Amino acid sequence: MSQKHQTLGEFIIEHQSSFKYTSGELSRLINSIRLAAKVVNYEVNKAGLVDILGTAGETNIQGEHQQKLDVYANEKFIQTLVNRNIVCGIASEEEDDFIAINSNDQNHQNKYIVLMDPLDGSSNIDVNVSVGTIFSIYRRVTPVGTPVQQDDFLQKGREQVAAGYIIYGTSTMLVYTTGDGVNGFTLNPAIGTFYLSHPQMQFPESGTIYSVNEGNYSHFPQGIKNYIKYCQKEEGDRPYTSRYIGSLVSDFHRNMIKGGIYLYPTSSKNPNGKLRLLYECNPMAFIAEQAHGNASDGHTRILDITPTELHQRVPFICGSKNMVHKVEEFMSAAASS
Ligand code: P6P
C-alpha cells in the first residue's frame, strides 16, 4: 500500500506486524481512540455555538444538559474503551482514582491500560484556541485475570507501549507512536476518515522557538532564567522567537514541525511544575524521543522518573534535542554555582 493517502485504519493493519506484542489488541485499542477522537472533535467544533447550544451546566435548546467539554471528552473516551472491551484499566485527569474495568471476566483478560488527559487546555475553547487529547498506553504488570492495581499505572514512562495526542486545531490530527517512529494523520471531516499526512515526524535537532509562560519569570529557577536570557540575547541565530499558545499539544506540535522547545518549570504557584507526569509528560516525552527530540525535568530524563502518585506534577522541558541539552547545561551550572 503506497503511503500516499493511506488511511489510519490501513496504516494500523499494515504496521501491526512490527509491534512486538500481540498486536491485534493494540490495533483495536488505537482504533477505539480514533473513534472517540471523531466524536469529541465534532463536539469541540460546535463549541463556538454556545449561545445556541447553551454553556456547560445549562440545558440547551433541545433541553439536553450541556456538559463541560472536558467532562464530555472524558466520558466519551471512557465509554468507547469500556464498550469495546479492550482495556482492563483507565486513569484520567478528570478522575480522582483509576478505573478498574472488571464488568465481566473478559475484561480481566485484557492486558492494556490507558492513561489520558481527555481535553488538555480546555480553557482555550472559550476563546477558540486549539486544544488536545493526550493518551498513554501500557501493558499491565499485575497478573492478567485480576483487577488492575495502582502499580499498573505507576510504571516509568519508558515502559509505555504507545502514546499519542489528538490536536483539535485548524484541522484535527491524530499523532501517535508505538515505538517505531511518530506518524501524523489528518481528519477529513467530510467523510470522517484520518489520512496519513505526516509520516515519520521528527524534531529538528535545533530550533529558534521557545515556548514558556514568561509571566512566571520571577518565580523560575535561576537556570531557567539564565536560559530565557540566553534565548533573548542578540548573538548568532538568537534572539529566538517566543511562541506560547497555552495549549501543550499545540506548542509541542508546532515545535516538532518547526524546531523548538517547550518549558513548564517549577514556580511559586506550581512548586512541582504544573504538568502531570503520567498522562501529559510521559506520553509527550515518549513521542518526543521517538521523533528524535528529548524531554527532561531539567536534570532527569522524563521517561526514567519513577512515579509515586497518579496525579503527580513534574517540571517539563521538551523539544529539539540540542535545545533541551542547553537548558540542562544552564540548570546544572546554576545548581553548582
Ligand atoms: P499556564 C493547559 O492548562 C496546560 O495544561 C497546558 O496545555 C498548557 O501548556 C499550560 O497548562 C498552560 O499553563 O499556567 O501557562 O496558563
Side-chain angles (χ1 to χ4, degrees):
M1 166 77 62
S2 84
Q3 274 198 347
K4 194 168 169 51
H5 307 315
Q6 188 175 36
T7 68
L8 174 55
E10 291 160 345
F11 182 90
I12 290 170
I13 291 166
E14 183 174 299
H15 288 78
Q16 70 180 12
S17 56
S18 67
F19 185 59
K20 60 184 174 184
Y21 298 110
T22 52
S23 49
E25 202 174 337
L26 184 72
S27 297
R28 284 174 56 225
L29 177 42
I30 302 287
N31 271 314
S32 63
I33 290 174
R34 170 181 61 162
L35 172 64
K38 288 193 261 191
V39 172
V40 170
N41 176 65
Y42 176 75
E43 205 64 26
V44 165
N45 286 343
K46 281 195 313 184
L49 300 172
V50 287
D51 296 343
I52 300 169
L53 301 179
T55 53
E58 297 171 353
T59 55
N60 61 23
I61 47 178
Q62 289 86 9
E64 295 154 357
H65 175 64
Q66 199 66 21
Q67 291 182 307
K68 274 173 65 65
L69 275 172
D70 39 13
V71 171
Y72 175 83
N74 185 54
E75 287 185 3
K76 282 305 161 200
F77 277 97
I78 291 173
Q79 197 175 68
T80 307
L81 291 168
V82 172
N83 293 349
R84 303 185 92 182
N85 187 15
I86 298 169
V87 297
C88 52
I90 299 172
S92 167
E93 178 169 71
E94 297 294 327
E95 303 287 337
D96 291 343
D97 201 354
F98 64 85
I99 301 168
I101 302 171
N102 51 4
S103 52
N104 57 55
D105 287 344
Q106 171 52 32
N107 277 311
H108 283 175
Q109 303 312 312
N110 292 332
K111 293 180 283 295
Y112 294 105
I113 63 168
V114 174
L115 301 93
M116 65 178 175
D117 183 355
L119 205 62
D120 179 66
S122 51
S123 57
N124 287 311
I125 285 181
D126 302 340
V127 293
N128 208 5
V129 168
S130 53
V131 293
T133 296
I134 307 170
F135 62 90
S136 168
I137 300 171
Y138 291 83
R139 290 170 66 84
R140 67 180 298 173
V141 293
T142 55
V144 172
T146 65
V148 286
Q149 298 166 40
Q150 178 139 294
D151 287 352
D152 292 305
F153 297 90
L154 297 187
Q155 299 181 58
K156 288 185 178 182
R158 65 190 189 209
E159 302 302 329
Q160 290 174 95
V161 294
Y165 59 83
I166 297 107
I167 178 169
Y168 308 99
T170 45
S171 60
T172 296
M173 284 190 67
L174 190 153
V175 177
Y176 81 99
T177 181
T178 56
D180 184 25
V182 177
N183 292 282
F185 299 81
T186 299
L187 179 66
N188 177 341
I191 55 175
T193 301
F194 281 99
Y195 286 94
L196 178 62
S197 53
H198 297 66
Q200 289 301 318
M201 298 182 80
Q202 292 191 3
F203 272 97
E205 279 208 332
S206 295
T208 57
I209 296 172
Y210 69 103
S211 307
V212 65
N213 182 341
E214 297 192 48
N216 297 323
Y217 178 86
S218 60
H219 306 293
F220 285 156
Q222 190 56 48
I224 297 293
K225 289 181 178 176
N226 296 343
Y227 177 71
I228 290 173
K229 287 305 168 202
Y230 167 84
C231 292
Q232 295 167 344
K233 191 166 189 285
E234 187 93 29
E235 192 174 78
D237 60 354
R238 287 172 283 129
Y240 293 157
T241 297
S242 174
R243 285 284 183 276
Y244 190 68
I245 300 172
S247 169
L248 165 61
V249 170
S250 306
D251 282 312
F252 179 99
H253 189 76
R254 182 207 52 245
N255 290 343
M256 182 158 63
I257 292 170
K258 292 180 174 279
I261 189 167
Y262 172 96
L263 307 97
Y264 209 105
T266 58
S267 67
S268 54
K269 198 168 65 171
N270 294 293
N272 296 314
K274 177 184 182 186
L275 300 185
R276 311 288 190 167
L277 174 61
L278 294 190
Y279 41 78
E280 290 175 328
C281 302
N282 271 338
M284 299 310 272
F286 186 27
I287 296 165
E289 291 198 3
Q290 283 292 311
H292 298 189
N294 266 7
S296 155
D297 65 0
H299 303 286
T300 306
R301 179 188 182 222
I302 290 289
L303 297 182
D304 286 339
I305 295 175
T306 301
T308 53
E309 54 184 72
L310 216 47
H311 300 288
Q312 82 182 77
R313 302 173 193 266
V314 292
F316 190 56
I317 292 118
C318 178
S320 294
K321 190 186 297 246
N322 295 343
M323 300 178 86
V324 174
H325 288 161
K326 181 57 81 173
V327 174
E328 290 174 333
E329 284 174 19
F330 276 101
M331 290 294 283
S332 168
S336 53
S337 62

